[in-house]
Amino acid sequence: MSAAWGGLHRLLHVATRRGVARDVDDELQFHVESRVGDLVARGHDPVDARAVAEREFGDLDESRRELIDADQRRYERVERGTTWEAWWHDVRFSARSLRRTPGVAAAVVVLLGLGIGANAATFSLADDLFVRPPAGVSAPDGLTRLYVHSDHTKGRYGAIQPTFVFPAYVAMARALGSQAAFAAYTEADSEAVGIRRATETLRVVYATSSYFPVLGALPALGRTFTGDEDSMGAGVPVAVIGDALWHARYGGDSAVLGQQIDVALARYTIIGVAAPGFIGPDLDRTDIWLPMAMRPGAPGIGDTPWYRDWGGASWVRVIGRLHRGTTAASLAAAATPVLRLGERDNVMYGPDTTATVLAGPWQESLGPSVTTPVERAITTRLVGVTLMVLVIACANVVNLLLLRGVRRRREIAIRLSLGISRARLVRQLLIESTMLAVIGGVASLGAAVWGASLLRATILPSVHWGAHPMRWQVIVASLGAAVVTGVVAGMAPALHAGRTDLTASLKSGTSEGGSPRSPLRAGLIVVQAALCMVLLAGAGLFVRSLRAVQSIDLGYDASRVAYGWVYFRNPTNRTVEFSNPARSQELTQGLASVALRLRSEPGVESIALASSPPMNGYAMTSPRFGDGAPAPKLNGLDAGLIAAEPSFFATTGATLVRGRLFTAAEQADSDQVVVVNETMARTYWPHSDALGQCFFVSARDRTCTTVIGIARDARLKNIIESPRVEMFTPIRRGAGMLSRPAFIIVRAAPGRASQVTDRLRRALVQQFPGAEPPYVTSMARAAEPELRPWRVGAELFALFGGLALVVAIFGVYSTLAYTVGHRLQEIGIRVALGARRGQIARLVLAHGMRPLVVGVACGLIITVLLGRFVASMLYETSATNPLVLGGAAVVLLLAGLLGSLAPAWRATRVDPAVSLRAE
């Protein structure tokens, strides 16, 4: 293309230069001949006179070249000035033309702003999740993130986790160092950090000394910690801080090196500042990096420290940088036997021999998982939804510009007859559409910033976003998309106007020429209606799924139940103590005091203490029958156990089916009684009555426990789960960890849940002033994250579906309004010939609804074809549910009918006498 333009430019340049040369030659010849004539008149010989004249003029060839160059430069200046003046004139003319139709201009700007803004917001989120490499990380394509897949069921169930125990990381790093370089780090967590005598909450990550080298992240100032500083058991308290923290708290002063900060009762010396924008491989913001060796940790099994304890908690994330010739799959295959061997040799009780190492991209959102992550599923489908909105908006913009061009047919015909070229006319119309698009693109930036922030908070509410949602790349892409959209949207109206028939348009007088029945405009309405149908159907499917999930019987009165607990930090190493036997009596007595105080509070109906709250944790145990045989596992899972006070059932709303509940006396006397759920009764004693049966609750029990009641099944952990075995035992205030009271559960009166939750929080703070801030929530709020996929899907599809519906109605109305305005004379003649108003109304409505009906039919076909892409996100709802599809079609048709009523009413009010006189 560039070569073609260059050749055209040279051709024009040569042609122009030849014309200038002819003019210069004529000018020089005129002056020479004039001088020769003058000398001859004075008596010189003609030959001598010409020789004298040429000698006086000097080197004619050099003069010729200088004059040609000067004239060429002047010609080009004039030509450029004329071109720019013509363009500037077209821009001013286009602006005046747009001011004459502010309604159409405003509609186009709003439509493009919403359409492009929605897409910019969605692509900004998708860029963060799936594409954008971490700032400050070198060659991210060489990185891989490791996961562990386990089918181990001893207190767990099949899952894919992005975390490992620290000894497993050490084993893999030592055994596979020739294949990849490894680094481990913790998820960013909030810590109280003391900086210059002020304490604030910042995001802290503990990382191995290989963390920065593996990521290829160079510090902006100072250095990162070394292997000696990260030596387990002998770590050095040094810290690397983030660039944002450096500028916010130290003003970007290089003297920050050597200063000290306090984290978790330890004082750290700042040795480096991370590169600008660097937060690590995760989306979460990080303010401070500390050596992994300095991470406070509770002791492991016996005297084994946490960094050697294979039986400890999995909390480190592992990143590897592949060496040349190593693939992610081969690294995972080599790491699996290392992990299994470590489990077998180091875990005394229940080693996980099913563990399999998986490797995935550095983006956690693209990593392997048992079920599709919510953010991935929603974002990928949201991209398609917003693209549909943009297509609908563009189709409506094209329709508006077409109608505007048709209304200007007489004006365009007059301008053509006065001598304007068709090429310049098309250029002016394209300038108008491009101006509208640029204004719409600027407006879309505001919509995109708001939309991106909304999507971040909706889809990933737990992420502490650091970067602004609208980066310069997104802004440039949005403005570029706006310009392209404007040119594309304005191309059809411009070309349509350029083919104007002068004779027909000028003969039309004050009438607006052109056919009211345009296949292009009708086709655009069909496209809008079809895509709108898809969005409305999607909204209906997600709403139906959300209602199906909300209608699940949890077995508890979730709307009226709140619960809370407290935990302490170890004063020595500042680790969180979720279960410290030394504080057991303090916690038990404190919770009992809070319960006693709250029972007299207004709005509180019932209170119970329990080892676990409903649907938010439980103990796992392996029961045995009275003869010592192990009880069966349902779906490979052990039994769930909750120890509670007798008031637990009245407080939570759990229901007893048969038998009785344990009493306060049985709790005080430590009687071995238990209430089992219906699933446990069916599974353990399928051919006999469970009541009165005796079994051992755990493998270590020596006393048989008697079943005294059968409770209705309730959810143990999730809203959507397979049947689970569960039992309830009396709480033992002096017993082991599984039977101690750790939670307080409160039942509120109808409509008082929020007030009771606040009272519970204040009571716990007052009772335990030295503990961490208590965690208090309602069951309804705790269940909300599981409802979020359907709620977000319903909200987003409904939002964009409603927007598309409004745009489609506007398109139907504008097209039909123009058609009626164009056919006023025809309608007047029909009325004069005896047509009734009802017939006129039906004629107009049929004209408006016909493309809408075709669009709905096409939309139904598209919805059925695309249904498989959302089927996995629906619950007990078919992607081709006839009620949902039919309801969406009815809504769209009724909306189109609403948009057609005003033009139809106008048509019925036509006065035939006025119309015929105008004709």
Side-chain angles (χ1 to χ4, degrees):
M1 179 64 78
S2 59
W5 278 111
L8 179 60
H9 180 267
R10 288 191 297 273
L11 179 62
L12 294 175
H13 179 74
V14 170
T16 303
R17 193 172 183 86
R18 286 176 180 174
V20 171
R22 285 194 298 270
D23 293 341
V24 169
D25 290 340
D26 292 343
E27 186 72 17
L28 288 175
Q29 185 67 26
F30 170 76
H31 286 291
V32 170
E33 294 299 331
S34 296
R35 182 57 176 163
V36 170
D38 182 54
L39 292 175
V40 170
R42 294 180 181 182
H44 286 73
D45 180 74
V47 176
D48 294 337
R50 182 170 296 280
V52 171
E54 291 178 352
R55 189 167 54 250
E56 289 178 352
F57 276 96
D59 188 349
L60 289 178
D61 291 338
E62 180 64 25
S63 299
R64 180 177 181 274
R65 283 194 297 271
E66 291 178 357
L67 289 173
I68 289 175
D69 290 341
D71 280 4
Q72 180 67 27
R73 288 193 296 271
R74 180 182 62 82
Y75 178 83
E76 290 177 353
R77 285 197 301 272
V78 172
E79 189 68 21
R80 283 196 300 268
T82 303
T83 302
W84 280 111
E85 182 179 357
W87 275 92
W88 179 240
H89 174 272
D90 291 345
V91 170
R92 288 182 298 168
F93 177 83
S94 298
R96 289 196 302 269
S97 177
L98 292 176
R99 284 200 300 268
R100 288 197 299 268
T101 55
V104 174
V108 171
V109 168
V110 170
L111 289 171
L112 290 179
L114 291 175
I116 297 174
N119 279 267
T122 302
F123 281 103
S124 175
L125 179 67
D127 181 51
D128 284 328
L129 286 175
F130 310 128
V131 179
R132 186 174 179 82
V137 174
S138 301
D141 292 341
L143 296 175
T144 184
R145 186 186 293 266
L146 298 185
Y147 301 79
V148 59
H149 178 273
S150 174
D151 293 323
H152 193 52
T153 61
K154 197 60 170 180
R156 289 175 279 177
Y157 52 91
I160 295 177
Q161 301 291 342
T163 54
F164 295 78
V165 294
F166 187 79
Y169 154 74
V170 174
M172 291 187 295
R174 288 176 178 173
L176 306 175
S178 61
Q179 300 186 37
F182 291 87
Y185 66 99
T186 65
E187 187 177 6
D189 195 9
S190 297
E191 292 276 4
V193 179
I195 299 178
R196 293 181 173 180
R197 300 181 181 179
T199 301
E200 57 185 305
T201 301
L202 298 175
R203 307 288 290 175
V204 177
V205 163
Y206 291 90
T208 59
S209 59
S210 58
Y211 175 81
F212 291 97
V214 165
L215 294 177
L218 300 176
L221 183 68
R223 63 179 179 85
T224 61
F225 30 85
T226 64
D228 292 337
E229 293 166 332
D230 188 37
S231 176
M232 290 300 168
V236 179
V238 294
V240 176
I241 65 173
D243 178 77
L245 179 63
W246 178 41
H247 283 89
R249 297 294 177 267
Y250 299 95
D253 187 359
S254 59
V256 68
L257 299 181
Q259 296 195 33
Q260 294 182 325
I261 57 176
D262 296 324
V263 184
L265 297 183
R267 180 155 293 179
Y268 293 80
T269 301
I270 299 175
I271 61 171
V273 178
F278 176 78
I279 60 173
D282 297 340
L283 286 175
D284 209 349
R285 188 189 82 245
T286 304
D287 299 310
I288 301 173
W289 289 267
L290 304 177
M292 184 71 75
M294 296 304 300
R295 181 186 183 275
I301 299 176
D303 296 327
T304 304
W306 64 268
Y307 50 86
R308 295 178 185 169
D309 181 12
W310 279 80
S314 300
W315 45 266
V316 298
R317 297 168 174 241
V318 179
I319 288 283
R321 181 173 290 278
L322 303 175
H323 292 163
R324 186 182 301 275
T326 303
T327 64
S330 64
L331 179 66
T336 295
V338 175
L339 180 62
R340 292 183 178 180
L341 181 63
E343 282 277 327
R344 188 193 67 186
D345 293 345
N346 296 281
V347 180
M348 297 176 59
Y349 178 73
D352 187 357
T353 57
T354 69
T356 302
V357 178
L358 305 176
W362 59 263
Q363 304 102 320
E364 188 175 357
S365 56
L366 294 177
S369 58
V370 175
T371 59
T372 303
V374 174
E375 62 271 12
R376 187 197 309 176
I378 293 177
T379 303
T380 52
R381 286 154 180 79
L382 185 59
V383 169
V385 170
T386 52
L387 284 175
M388 291 183 190
V389 173
L390 181 60
V391 172
I392 293 172
C394 290
N396 212 359
V397 167
V398 172
N399 228 341
L400 287 173
L401 295 180
L402 277 172
L403 293 175
R404 184 172 178 270
V406 172
R407 287 179 178 274
R408 299 172 62 191
R409 285 175 64 89
R410 180 169 173 79
E411 170 201 338
I412 291 172
I414 293 175
R415 294 179 63 201
L416 288 172
S417 64
L418 292 177
I420 187 174
S421 66
R422 293 182 182 268
R424 186 168 182 182
L425 176 64
V426 170
R427 185 177 75 185
Q428 288 180 346
L429 295 176
L430 287 177
I431 289 175
E432 290 182 15
S433 63
T434 304
M435 289 176 64
L436 288 174
V438 170
I439 299 173
V442 173
S444 72
L445 297 180
V449 171
W450 176 81
S453 301
L454 176 64
L455 291 177
R456 282 180 166 191
T458 302
I459 297 178
L460 293 171
S462 60
V463 171
H464 294 255
W465 296 97
H468 192 274
M470 293 301 291
R471 293 176 291 273
W472 68 267
Q473 296 95 330
V474 178
I475 294 176
V476 171
S478 299
L479 294 177
V483 172
V484 172
T485 302
V487 173
V488 173
M491 188 66 70
L495 296 178
H496 187 269
R499 296 194 297 267
T500 299
D501 187 343
L502 296 183
T503 303
S505 298
L506 291 174
K507 287 170 62 178
S508 65
T510 59
S511 175
E512 299 163 351
S515 170
R517 297 179 177 86
S518 170
L520 177 57
R521 291 196 296 272
L524 292 172
I525 293 178
V526 170
V527 170
Q528 295 178 60
L531 296 181
C532 186
M533 176 67 197
V534 173
L535 297 179
L536 291 177
L541 292 173
F542 276 99
V543 168
R544 189 176 178 88
S545 294
L546 177 61
R547 290 182 176 177
V549 176
Q550 290 175 330
S551 65
I552 294 175
D553 183 8
L554 303 179
Y556 302 107
D557 293 338
S559 61
R560 299 173 59 185
V561 177
Y563 57 86
W565 75 90
V566 296
Y567 57 86
F568 303 87
R569 285 188 181 270
N570 188 295
T572 302
N573 57 22
R574 295 296 295 167
T575 57
V576 175
E577 296 178 328
F578 292 100
S579 60
N580 187 339
R583 291 186 180 271
S584 175
Q585 185 175 1
E586 176 187 356
L587 182 61
T588 299
Q589 293 177 350
L591 292 178
S593 298
V594 171
L596 182 62
R597 186 161 60 250
L598 287 178
R599 280 192 175 95
S600 59
E601 290 283 341
V604 176
E605 287 191 354
S606 179
I607 295 179
L609 301 183
S611 62
S612 301
M615 288 189 64
N616 197 278
Y618 49 88
M620 300 291 287
T621 183
S622 301
R624 291 181 295 117
F625 290 123
D627 58 1
K633 298 178 184 289
L634 182 61
N635 298 322
L637 300 176
D638 290 311
L641 170 65
I642 293 180
E645 291 182 330
S647 57
F648 176 85
F649 286 83
T651 301
T652 62
T655 304
L656 187 69
V657 178
R658 290 192 301 122
R660 65 178 180 87
L661 301 175
F662 39 81
T663 65
E666 289 171 326
Q667 176 179 308
D669 294 338
S670 300
D671 289 347
Q672 299 296 319
V673 293
V674 66
V675 175
V676 301
N677 70 346
E678 295 172 296
T679 298
M680 182 172 179
R682 289 193 303 268
T683 304
Y684 284 17
W685 303 280
H687 305 297
S688 59
D689 190 355
L691 291 177
Q693 298 287 345
C694 187
F695 69 99
F696 298 100
V697 171
S698 71
R700 295 188 178 93
D701 278 2
R702 295 295 179 263
T703 304
C704 197
T705 300
T706 303
V707 178
I708 62 172
I710 300 175
R712 183 164 57 95
D713 283 344
R715 295 304 195 264
L716 265 73
K717 184 67 176 177
N718 302 311
I719 298 176
I720 301 175
E721 65 180 14
S722 57
R724 304 285 294 273
V725 171
E726 184 179 23
M727 67 184 80
F728 304 89
T729 62
I731 204 164
R732 314 294 187 194
R733 300 192 177 183
M737 184 178 66
L738 296 183
S739 298
R740 293 185 198 135
F743 293 82
I744 181 170
I745 307 169
V746 182
R747 180 183 181 87
R752 306 291 295 274
S754 60
Q755 296 93 323
V756 169
T757 303
D758 291 338
R759 290 195 187 101
L760 175 60
R761 182 180 293 105
R762 289 195 299 268
L764 290 174
V765 171
Q766 183 180 356
Q767 181 67 38
F768 301 97
E772 291 295 299
Y775 184 89
V776 178
T777 187
S778 64
M779 279 192 64
R781 185 178 302 173
E784 176 59 28
E786 195 172 351
L787 296 174
R788 188 160 54 91
W790 298 283
R791 191 182 305 281
V792 170
E795 291 173 352
L796 292 178
F797 271 89
L799 172 64
F800 289 112
L803 176 62
L805 185 63
V806 172
V807 171
I809 293 174
F810 186 76
V812 172
Y813 167 79
S814 59
T815 302
L816 202 56
Y818 160 74
T819 302
V820 170
H822 180 88
R823 301 174 65 184
L824 288 178
Q825 287 81 17
E826 174 196 339
I827 294 173
I829 294 174
R830 288 177 179 269
V831 174
L833 294 177
R836 292 187 295 273
R837 295 185 185 276
Q839 293 174 319
I840 298 297
R842 285 195 298 272
L843 176 68
V844 175
L845 291 175
H847 182 77
M849 296 299 292
R850 192 176 298 113
L852 204 62
V853 171
V854 176
V856 168
C858 295
L860 286 172
I861 297 174
I862 296 174
T863 303
V864 171
L865 294 177
L866 297 180
R868 59 189 180 91
F869 294 105
V870 297
S872 61
M873 297 184 65
L874 304 177
Y875 178 73
E876 292 189 353
T877 301
S878 171
T880 58
N881 186 284
L883 292 178
V884 172
L885 299 185
V890 170
V891 169
L892 184 54
L893 291 175
L894 288 177
L897 182 63
L898 180 64
S900 305
L901 289 179
W905 181 84
R906 181 189 177 193
T908 62
R909 312 306 296 177
V910 171
D911 187 342
V914 175
S915 299
L916 293 176
R917 280 199 300 269
E919 181 64 21

